[in-house]
Amino acid sequence: MHRFANPARFLKIANAVLPWAAGLSAVCFVAGLYLGLVASPPDYQQGDTVRIMYIHVPAAWMSMFTYSTMAVAAAAALVWKHPLAEVYAKAAAPLGAGFTALCLLTGSLWGAPMWGTWWVWDARLTSVLVLFFLYLGYMALVDAFDDPARGNKAGNILLLVGAVNVPIIKFSVEWWNTLHQPASVFRLGGPTIAASMLWPLLLMAVAFQSYFFAVVILRIRAGLAARRVQTLRLGQAG
Amino acid sequence: MDGFLSMGGYAAYVWSSYGAAALVLVGLLVLSLTGLRRVERTLATLEAAKPRRKREPKVGPVPTASPATETAP
């Protein structure tokens, strides 16, 4: 793992991965959208609103995946002072915030016709809202200091403290009574969802995941270049 | 086609969801690409303007001489 923390080596690998991630994402989006919007049946209870699931669930998975990886990066940055880990966390944050916003928004759009309400303050919805605020808080915090090193350190501590929220989100539907349904894909005993709906869901999930990899690589490249600009400017000033 | 667009009467909810997803994903991609272009341009002008010094930290896709230990995934 430490070998990949070398920015030059990382960039070499990342640039090789980038076109594959972008291509995979495009292919899976086309296939997933076709299966999700056209080829899959409406749900026998929820009608066509079930198609919101193909956006809502991948966005929710990605919101938790992104935060978890950022928390691991924050730990690596605090313990080993890897510059790449900090660049990664900063690069991933806006993407995670976007996924979380999308999850909350589509959840509302699904809840309104099916639950009869746009929002309830129950465990699952509230903990995801907290996740959204954690992303926003991290992004505000890392840029709130004149010294970027201090901003990164404060941001990394926030990420680590906020990591406690991830299992709370995951298990909120089991620990508390909630309007939100429990997991139906990643559960003991296998998915309880029909294959005609599982395929578009999984394709969209792969599309979101590879989209994330492609865009986060672009953002890491920008972050590394920004660090270099900063170093050069400091050199000029001194 | 009419049935497809009306989504069984839930068109407003379904299409807003997909529209929001397109907006967020394309928006983040465009912002990331323009941000990358901008910082790479700044870096290029800075590096062109300044005389080369020793002891520069190397950041960038500079190949290191250890091809035997690297394999693409």
Side-chain angles (χ1 to χ4, degrees):
Chain A
M1 211 47 210
H2 288 241
R3 288 197 315 128
F4 300 107
N6 175 328
R9 187 173 289 137
F10 169 82
L11 278 174
K12 208 177 147 198
I13 296 167
N15 286 334
V17 170
L18 180 61
W20 293 97
L24 181 66
S25 180
V27 169
C28 285
F29 265 123
V30 170
L33 285 172
Y34 172 74
L35 286 184
L37 287 170
V38 183
S40 68
D43 187 68
Y44 81 106
Q45 281 181 328
Q46 308 199 20
D48 281 300
T49 60
V50 76
R51 301 187 201 284
I52 296 172
M53 173 177 71
Y54 307 128
I55 301 290
H56 177 73
V57 173
W61 284 342
M62 286 312 298
S63 72
M64 306 224 312
F65 169 84
T66 307
Y67 192 89
S68 308
T69 57
M70 284 166 64
V72 171
L78 286 172
V79 175
W80 292 298
K81 309 258 182 270
H82 281 164
L84 193 61
E86 283 173 351
V87 172
Y88 170 79
K90 264 184 101 164
L95 301 177
F99 291 132
T100 315
L102 203 52
C103 171
L104 290 166
L105 188 69
T106 54
S108 265
L109 287 165
W110 199 0
M114 287 301 111
W115 292 347
T117 179
W118 298 91
W119 184 262
V120 282
W121 290 102
D122 80 355
R124 171 57 73 84
L125 280 69
T126 309
S127 54
V128 175
L129 187 65
V130 168
L131 179 69
F132 183 58
F133 289 148
L134 280 170
Y135 279 119
L136 297 189
Y138 169 79
M139 290 194 286
L141 193 58
V142 282
D143 288 330
F145 295 84
D146 287 333
D147 176 9
R150 288 184 65 196
N152 276 322
K153 192 168 181 190
N156 288 337
I157 291 168
L158 175 70
L159 284 176
L160 280 183
V161 172
V164 72
N165 193 37
V166 172
I168 293 180
I169 294 175
K170 169 70 186 153
F171 295 110
S172 57
V173 286
E174 291 165 27
W175 292 343
W176 293 286
N177 279 321
T178 165
L179 214 47
H180 197 283
Q181 65 158 53
S184 50
V185 178
F186 294 117
R187 58 183 289 284
L188 291 172
T192 53
I193 173 174
S196 59
M197 293 178 181
L198 189 58
W199 273 111
L201 179 58
L202 293 181
L203 279 168
M204 289 299 274
V206 174
F208 270 67
Q209 183 76 63
S210 41
Y211 166 92
F212 170 79
F213 281 132
V215 179
V216 88
I217 286 172
L218 294 175
R219 300 188 64 87
I220 291 173
R221 271 168 54 178
L224 289 173
R227 284 201 164 212
R228 181 104 177 91
V229 166
Q230 203 183 11
T231 319
L232 287 175
R233 286 211 168 120
L234 281 176
Q236 277 180 343
Chain B
M1 196 65 197
D2 258 5
F4 174 68
L5 286 179
S6 69
M7 281 290 158
Y10 294 115
Y13 302 106
V14 175
W15 292 120
S16 323
S17 295
Y18 281 81
L23 209 66
V24 168
L25 296 182
V26 173
L28 281 169
L29 175 63
V30 169
L31 284 177
S32 305
L33 276 172
T34 50
L36 176 62
R37 297 259 157 76
R38 192 169 46 229
V39 70
E40 278 182 340
R41 253 200 319 273
T42 314
L43 184 58
T45 41
L46 273 175
E47 280 186 330
K50 114 187 216 312
R52 291 203 64 81
R53 286 196 301 185
K54 288 168 275 176
R55 295 204 312 120
E56 268 181 14
K58 270 189 195 161
V59 177
V62 186
T64 47
S66 55
T69 56
E70 281 170 10
T71 46

